[in-house]
Amino acid sequence: MGNKNWWKEIVVYQIYPRSFQDSNGDGIGDLKGILSRLDYLKDLGIGAIWLSPVCKSPQDDNGYDISDYQDIDPMFGSLEDMELLIQEAGKRDIRIIMDLVLNHSSDEHPWFKEARKSKDNPYHDYYVWRDGVEGTPPNDLGSTFGGSAWEWVPELGQYYLHLFSVKQPDLNWENPKVRQEIYDMIQWWMDKGVGGFRLDVIDLIGKQPDLKITGNGPNLHQYMRELSKETFQKGDLLTVGETWGATPESAKLYSNPDGSELSMVFQFEHISLDEQEGKGKWDLQPLDLLQLKKVLSKWQTELKGEAWNSLFWNNHDLPRIVSRWGNDGEYRVQSAKMLATLLHGMQGTPYVYQGEELGMTNVRYPIEEYRDIELLNLYKERVENGYAEKEVMESIYAKGRDNARTPMQWDASENAGFTDGKPWILVNPNYTEINAEESINDPHSIYHYYKTLIQLRKEHEVIIYGDYELLYPEDTNLFAYTRTLGDTKLLVLCNFYGNTVTFDIPEEFGEDKTLLISNYADVHSENELRPYEARMYLLV
Ligand code: GLC
Ligand code: CA
């Protein structure tokens, strides 16, 4: 069953601060807003909050462009607010997981301002520069947000590397001074009592731009081990890396149970299954359930005893799961609960993204109402390149990051109780029906279902540590598996679609089983699942 660790046993809740709760009417969520909602999170039963970045930032990429790693952006509050948040969350047994953006800083960070002054400035080598001539970048490496990854600085006759926006220059991890600054900064946050870190695009830090290697560079794991040794290993933290290119093999390095790197990583293999092969996220194709079963099961079995999974459907970069792989119309409630059952029944640490527990949905706004840099760049680029506007908008409705970033829907009052002012991005118009207040009052809501799932995890060790086995691998409607810990077995049955499916329940589950949770009020027939029906049984 592997080692026991506190971070395997909890559920993490991700907050995107600018969209969670505004406290001062400027239309932007902030730390005081989060403080005012801690009891809501305590009631839900979560054990940690992953906070998307709140450090000082010009907000070119909503805080993923940091200009001071040791201060809070005034838009979100002050360092005192942050200290209070850590303390108040702690009183409720909730740890705060900070988002560390270490691959790049903001171009407004003092290091970069110095670095671009001259080639012999002591900070010049903090970033990645190449000599060149204007108009001919060192190579054709592209930025994730469109265009070249190289930006020309005429005063220096050099280009700098930015794998994201021009305002996010890449830090030079080859420079030991950069690494030391980072370790000191992390230690400073550890001393403030944070419970761990999420490491933004950490698989890029070993890049070799001349060879056009970005992810999984040759020195990556050497850097990871040094980083971990100099910082994380001095505490008992939850550390999770964002690693788009992770394979089970690399995950076993990142998440080695000897603790030499991180607790776990976010892998994205399942997330790419509705993209056309060889293209990016914007080129859509329907999800193949057999593929999803195969991929998730592979991660479950291959990491067993050798690494630890993180389990997620959503984050601030992804569309809402109920709209994506569930049904956000007639079966919104059933399908959201089914997807939750499927995920929380697996082995790994589950992450809930704000509003997921309410079954919040994607949006379809006119282009002027969107705010995300990636989405706006995509729109411009594709329209200029002759794509039909309608087609571009369909991609944005399906995959745009702003789907996840609309304000949290607290109640049916104006602006969903998110702000007294004008929200920085429109509230999803369905907030009058879908909101936390409604959900708390309705014992059959998605919210209460999540709460029960989180509670079950605390009561049944098999949910945390049991071994996974896929059932009916060839069934194109049913996603079913067992978990086994000693004599205890868990059976999870999920109908992924809107039609009724029949099957034969495995013999060993014939009798003597307890229904732990289900998204229908009764069991119609043991061998039949109605649209999006999900059940979790315990066999002792
Ligand atoms: C990660 C973040 C994303 C950000 C990017 C650059 O993928 O999750 O929001 O834009 O890194 O920092
Ligand atoms: Ca505010």
Side-chain angles (χ1 to χ4, degrees), residues 276-288:
Q276 289 170 33
E277 185 98 35
K279 301 217 177 152
K281 68 187 226 183
W282 305 106
D283 297 288
L284 316 170
Q285 76 168 19
L287 175 73
D288 175 349

Side-chain angles (χ1 to χ4, degrees), residues 440-498:
I440 292 168
N441 292 335
D442 171 8
H444 304 297
S445 66
I446 300 167
Y447 163 85
H448 282 287
Y449 197 89
Y450 268 84
K451 202 171 153 167
T452 307
L453 280 175
I454 296 171
Q455 187 55 36
L456 286 171
R457 186 178 183 83
K458 295 177 182 167
E459 291 164 8
H460 302 283
E461 229 185 4
V462 62
I463 301 183
I464 302 165
Y465 294 110
D467 291 341
Y468 171 97
E469 194 189 346
L470 181 70
L471 301 175
Y472 318 108
E474 301 304 329
D475 193 301
T476 50
N477 296 289
L478 187 65
F479 198 141
Y481 57 86
T482 57
R483 301 281 308 282
T484 308
L485 186 68
D487 295 337
T488 313
K489 253 184 190 275
L490 191 77
L491 171 65
V492 179
L493 299 169
C494 295
N495 177 1
F496 210 82
Y497 296 108

